[in-house]
Amino acid sequence: MSDSSQSGAAPEPAATANSGAVGVIGLDLQGETPAPKKQVYSWALWDWATQPFNTVILTFIFTALYLTTEAFLPADIAALDASDPMREAAEADLASGLGLGSTIAGIAILLIAPVLGQRADAAGRQKLWLGIGTGALIACMFGLWFVEPTPALFWLGVALISAGSVFGEIAAVNSNAMLIGIANPKTVGRISGLGWGFGYIGGIIALVLVVVFYMFDWFGLPDDGGLPFRIIAIGCAIWAIVFSIPIFLNVPEPSLGRPERKVGFFASYGLLVKDVTGLYRNTETRHTFWFLLSSAVFRDGLGGVFAFGAVIASQVFDFAFLDLVIFGIAANLIAGVSTIIAGRFDDRFGPKRIILISLASMVIAGLAVFFLVDAGTVVFWVGGLLLCAFVGPAQAASRSFLARITPAGREGEIFGLYATTGRAASWMASAAWTLLIVLSGSTAYGILGIVLVLIAGFLLLLPVKAPQRT
C-alpha cells in the first residue's frame, strides 16, 4: 500500500474497469522503496506454514501410508493375501475414492476461486479471506484426528482432505494477491522465488521429521487406531498455526478495495465473464489472457513431474522405499534452493526468460531420462534431480510474471483466474501420461507424455508479450 494512499493525499489509482480501460499495474503503486524484510519473510513463511498439508498429508504420508491402505478395508478383505484379486480391487476402490474427492475439490476451485478473489478485491479484504482459507485448512487437518482406521470413516478422511485442498487454494489466491503489496518491479521475482523456496524447504523439513519418527518406530508410540498418523495430522495443523501468524501481523493489504465493484455473489459471475472478455478484447491486456492460458498448460506439466516422478522411479528404475524417500527429500531440497536463487535472475532478466529456460531444460532432461532408461538408476538420479531443479524456478517466475501484469485492484480476481485456469488444464499431463502408457504398454513412455505437455506450454508462451522490466 503506497504512502499516499494511507495518508489520503491521493486517491487509489483506478484499475481496469468493466469498460475494458487499462489501469495501473498493482506493482506500480508500491514505488521503488523496498518493503521491510520483516514483511517479506512474514509473507514467505505462509508457504512454509501450509506446505506440510501438501507434502505430508496429501502426497507422501497420510494418504499413501494410511488412508488408502488395508487399515480402511473390511476385516475379511484385509485378511486376504496382498495379491488376492478381491483385496487388490478393494484397495483400488480406496485409491479411486481419494481421486473422486480430488476431482470434486478441483471442480469447486474452478467455480469459486476467481469469484471469491474478485469479491475480496472489491472489499479490500484479501487478508480476511486469507485468514478464512487458512483457518479452514487448519480445521480440516485437526479433523483428521477423528479419522480412525475403520471403513466407515474412510469418506470422512477423503472429505476433510478434499475440503482442505479447496480452502488451501482459496487462501493461496489471497496470499498471491498480497505479494503485490510488498513487492515492486525490481523485487517481485526475488520475493516470489523466496516464497516458493520456503514452501519446498518447509515441506521437506516436515517430511524429514515424519520419516525420522517412522524409522524409529514412532519412538514406541502405539500404532493402534492409526494413532501415529492422526498425531502427524495434528502436528501439521499446529505447524500451520505457528508459522502463518506473521503474515497476518506484518503484511499489509495489497489495495484499499473497489466499492464500485461490490455486487451480489451470483452477480459476481456475470461481472467475472465481462472482465475476462475485457482482458481478451483489450489489446493492452490481451497478453494477460494468453499468459493465463499458456501458464495453465506448462504448470500442469510441472505438476506432472512431481505427480508421476515416484511412479517412474519405482516402476521404471526399481527404486525401493528408502531410495524413494531419499530421492524425494533431495528433489524437494534442490527445488527449494534453486527457486530462491532463480528469483534473483528473474528480477534481472525477466520472468519469461526464466520460464522458457526452465521449460527447455526440463524437456532436455526428460528426453535424456527416456532415451537413456537402460543405463540404470544413475540416469534417473541425475535427470530426475535436474527436472526438479527447474520446476520451482518456473513456478515462481510464473507467479512473478502475473504479478507484473496484474491491474491494480484486481489482484485477487486475476490470481483466482490463475488458479482456475490451472485446474481447467489439470487433466493434460495425466491424460498424456495415461495415453502413451496404454499405447506402448510401458510406463517409461509416460515420461514422453509429460515432456509433450511441457513443449506445448513452451510454444504457447513464446508469443506472449513479456512484462516490462525495470
Side-chain angles (χ1 to χ4, degrees):
M1 190 179 298
S2 63
D3 293 337
S4 61
S5 297
Q6 289 177 319
S7 64
E12 188 81 8
T16 301
N18 295 340
S19 64
V22 179
V24 271
I25 302 304
L27 287 172
D28 293 340
L29 302 180
Q30 312 315 318
E32 298 299 320
T33 304
K37 288 185 178 180
K38 184 177 183 180
Q39 291 184 5
V40 172
Y41 285 107
S42 295
W43 177 82
L45 273 175
W46 186 85
D47 281 304
W48 173 292
T50 55
Q51 186 60 30
F53 172 78
N54 298 306
T55 303
V56 175
I57 292 178
L58 197 58
T59 303
F60 289 106
I61 304 298
F62 195 91
T63 57
L65 298 180
Y66 182 54
L67 191 62
T68 57
T69 67
E70 64 180 21
F72 288 87
L73 295 178
D76 57 332
I77 299 297
L80 297 174
D81 188 84
S83 60
D84 189 284
M86 289 184 63
R87 174 164 169 169
E88 289 181 346
E91 290 177 343
D93 286 342
L94 295 178
S96 63
L98 181 64
L100 175 62
S102 298
T103 301
I104 294 173
I107 293 172
I109 293 167
L110 184 70
L111 293 175
I112 67 176
V115 169
L116 291 181
Q118 176 198 84
R119 294 174 67 81
D121 289 340
R125 305 298 295 271
Q126 288 90 349
K127 190 180 290 189
L128 171 64
W129 280 101
L130 174 67
I132 291 173
T134 304
L137 170 62
I138 291 169
C140 288
M141 288 190 279
F142 275 123
L144 292 174
W145 168 261
F146 301 101
V147 182
E148 297 181 4
T150 63
L153 293 175
F154 170 75
W155 287 108
L156 173 62
V158 170
L160 288 169
I161 289 174
S162 301
S165 298
V166 175
F167 292 127
E169 196 69 60
I170 290 171
V173 166
N174 290 281
S175 172
N176 289 340
M178 291 173 69
L179 168 63
I180 292 175
I182 59 171
N184 60 42
K186 290 185 177 181
T187 62
V188 62
R190 174 176 62 83
I191 296 175
S192 179
L194 184 69
W196 271 106
F198 268 37
Y200 277 119
I201 296 173
I204 207 61
I205 289 175
L207 180 61
V208 168
L209 291 175
V210 172
V211 170
V212 169
F213 287 136
Y214 178 77
M215 295 297 292
F216 283 89
D217 200 24
W218 310 115
F219 292 104
L221 191 71
D223 58 6
D224 296 342
L227 185 61
F229 297 100
R230 291 158 57 209
I231 287 178
I232 285 171
I234 296 296
C236 289
I238 294 173
W239 175 294
I241 290 174
V242 172
F243 293 111
S244 65
I245 289 175
I247 194 172
F248 297 102
L249 296 179
N250 303 321
V251 182
E253 298 277 4
S255 70
L256 296 177
R258 300 179 63 196
E260 76 279 3
R261 287 172 59 86
K262 287 185 178 180
V263 296
F265 183 81
F266 293 104
S268 297
Y269 286 96
L271 185 60
L272 177 65
V273 171
K274 186 180 294 185
D275 287 340
V276 173
T277 304
L279 282 177
Y280 177 78
R281 289 179 177 173
N282 192 309
T283 56
E284 295 192 50
T285 58
R286 188 172 295 167
H287 57 292
T288 304
F289 176 89
W290 286 115
F291 176 71
L292 288 170
L293 177 63
S294 63
S295 70
V297 176
F298 71 70
R299 283 186 292 139
D300 190 45
L302 299 176
V305 172
F306 276 106
F308 301 114
V311 179
I312 296 170
S314 61
Q315 293 192 13
V316 179
F317 293 94
D318 296 322
F319 274 39
F321 172 78
L322 190 57
D323 296 325
L324 272 175
V325 171
I326 294 173
F327 181 85
I329 292 172
N332 281 273
L333 184 60
I334 287 175
V337 173
S338 67
T339 303
I340 294 173
I341 294 173
R344 298 184 177 273
F345 291 102
D346 180 323
D347 290 324
R348 183 172 181 180
F349 300 108
K352 182 177 177 180
R353 290 185 181 181
I354 299 299
I355 298 170
L356 290 175
I357 291 172
S358 297
L359 294 178
S361 301
M362 293 176 71
V363 167
I364 294 171
L367 290 175
V369 170
F370 175 76
F371 286 111
L372 299 176
V373 66
D374 293 331
T377 57
V378 66
V379 170
F380 190 78
W381 275 104
V382 176
L385 291 178
L386 277 175
L387 278 164
C388 295
F390 289 102
V391 170
Q395 289 173 323
S398 180
R399 178 166 63 183
S400 164
F401 192 118
L402 191 59
R404 293 175 191 269
I405 59 176
T406 295
R410 293 180 62 183
E411 297 88 357
E413 175 200 342
I414 297 297
F415 277 106
L417 287 171
Y418 186 64
T420 291
T421 52
R423 290 290 175 171
S426 62
W427 54 272
M428 296 185 66
S430 58
W433 162 272
T434 303
L435 179 62
L436 286 176
I437 291 176
V438 169
L439 291 177
S440 66
S442 170
T443 303
Y445 277 82
I447 301 170
L448 288 184
I450 298 173
V451 169
L452 287 175
V453 175
L454 293 172
I455 292 174
F458 180 93
L459 295 176
L460 284 171
L461 181 62
L462 278 176
V464 176
K465 178 182 176 183
Q468 184 177 358
R469 289 190 293 119
T470 303

